[in-house]
Amino acid sequence: MRSIGNVQSEKEALRFSAYLKRCGIAHTCDADFEKPSDFVSYQFWVHDEDRLEEARRAFETFLAHPADPLFDIPIT
């Protein structure tokens, strides 16, 4: 399992997680809370090494264009 990065919004985390799920990329999204600053970030971990680069490319695209309709996935 390897990290591909993090986002700072729960909405973005849910949106990208739904996209990865639709693509069949096994992953985990962990919330990290820093108590002194009340800062929350959401870290993405990809389980399958064979899909790591695909997930990284998708994450880079998501960060550059988070409103892209490509990532419009109904959250279930």
Side-chain angles (χ1 to χ4, degrees):
M1 184 164 57
R2 304 233 337 239
S3 173
I4 59 170
N6 63 1
V7 295
Q8 297 172 359
S9 156
E10 182 178 20
K11 182 178 176 181
E12 288 180 333
L14 291 170
R15 184 173 164 85
F16 188 67
S17 184
Y19 173 80
L20 289 177
K21 183 177 178 181
R22 184 186 75 183
C23 292
I25 298 175
H27 68 285
T28 304
C29 181
D30 294 329
D32 183 29
F33 178 72
E34 295 179 17
K35 191 168 182 153
S37 65
D38 289 338
F39 178 78
V40 179
S41 66
Y42 301 86
Q43 185 80 26
F44 285 95
W45 299 88
V46 174
H47 300 186
D48 185 351
E49 290 282 329
D50 293 336
R51 307 286 305 270
L52 184 62
E53 286 308 312
E54 177 185 0
R56 279 189 177 144
R57 285 190 303 274
F59 190 66
E60 289 171 7
T61 300
F62 180 75
L63 291 177
H65 309 284
D68 189 320
L70 172 68
F71 302 105
D72 289 344
I73 311 297
I75 298 171
T76 58

